[in-house]
Amino acid sequence: MTISTPKTYRPCVGIAMINKKGDVFVGKRVNDNQNIWQMPQGGINKNEAPKDAVYRELYEETSVQNAKIIAQMDKWLYYDIPKHISQRHQFSQYRGQKQMWFLMFFEGDIQEINVTTKIPEFAQWKWCGWDDVCKNVIFFKKNIYQQVSKIFQPIANKHIVKAYEGR
């Protein structure tokens, strides 16, 4: 008799990157024929710290190097990937993802952002408000995005106010 091990959650980071207006970076995936947008995210490599993964993933997906961490979630957020999607996915051995989310502030010039990377994940990108981030994400990530927005939006707003007061 074979005992199967339960599927686990893939450890990942999620990135809510804001600009000086407080808008959030989102990208439309290259394989998306719907109007679904998401924030950058990606797996944490073996022996890699989440903070290191944040900078690596942000660069791999957006070419951005000029961003700083403002805040980090104090807990992992989990979501399940529906079976009809996970079966087509390269990480089908996982039940879903556990994500450590970071709020980042984009300090670079707009020309730095380039989603036409070595292995592109996004076909296009834009800045949008927090409400639009939650409205336009794929259905199985919506709860995660609502939690991220609820926690990070007030922090982002305070950061923007402080940045303007400091000028």
Side-chain angles (χ1 to χ4, degrees):
M1 179 179 193
T2 304
I3 300 174
S4 65
T5 56
K7 288 187 173 188
T8 59
Y9 289 89
R10 179 176 175 240
C12 296
V13 292
I15 305 159
M17 182 172 68
I18 60 168
N19 64 15
K20 62 183 178 183
K21 294 180 182 176
D23 293 327
V24 184
F25 177 96
V26 291
K28 186 175 181 185
R29 294 190 59 85
V30 290
N31 57 358
D32 178 25
N33 58 2
Q34 303 171 33
N35 193 30
I36 296 173
W37 296 76
Q38 71 175 47
M39 293 182 273
Q41 66 175 54
I44 300 171
N45 294 331
K46 188 175 183 173
N47 299 321
E48 183 178 39
K51 283 186 179 178
D52 294 332
V54 163
Y55 287 105
R56 179 185 51 76
E57 283 294 335
L58 183 64
Y59 179 73
E60 287 177 2
E61 295 185 10
T62 69
S63 303
V64 169
Q65 291 182 300
N66 291 300
K68 69 176 181 180
I69 295 172
I70 301 170
Q72 177 181 345
M73 282 284 178
D74 61 358
K75 63 180 178 179
W76 292 92
L77 300 180
Y78 293 78
Y79 70 83
D80 291 343
I81 300 172
K83 284 185 181 180
H84 73 280
I85 294 173
S86 69
Q87 291 169 345
R88 300 182 317 232
H89 198 269
Q90 64 178 340
F91 301 108
S92 61
Q93 72 270 28
Y94 296 103
R95 177 179 178 176
Q97 295 193 357
K98 70 175 189 175
Q99 297 180 319
M100 179 57 60
W101 278 86
F102 292 81
L103 176 62
M104 299 186 79
F105 181 72
F106 176 64
E107 298 180 311
D109 188 89
I110 200 79
Q111 284 77 22
E112 179 181 350
I113 301 172
N114 178 12
V115 295
T116 310
T117 59
K118 186 177 178 181
I119 303 172
E121 298 223 11
F122 299 129
Q124 47 186 301
W125 69 273
K126 65 182 178 181
W127 297 107
C128 66
W130 288 95
D131 290 341
D132 288 332
V133 170
C134 293
K135 285 179 194 169
N136 296 315
V137 68
I138 196 160
F139 70 95
F140 60 89
K141 294 181 186 178
K142 193 171 286 280
N143 182 48
I144 296 291
Y145 276 45
Q146 289 168 338
Q147 291 178 67
V148 168
S149 178
K150 181 179 179 181
I151 292 169
F152 282 166
Q153 187 176 9
I155 297 168
N157 291 344
K158 285 180 186 176
H159 182 81
I160 299 305
V161 168
K162 284 182 183 177
Y164 280 111
E165 287 174 350
R167 291 186 172 184

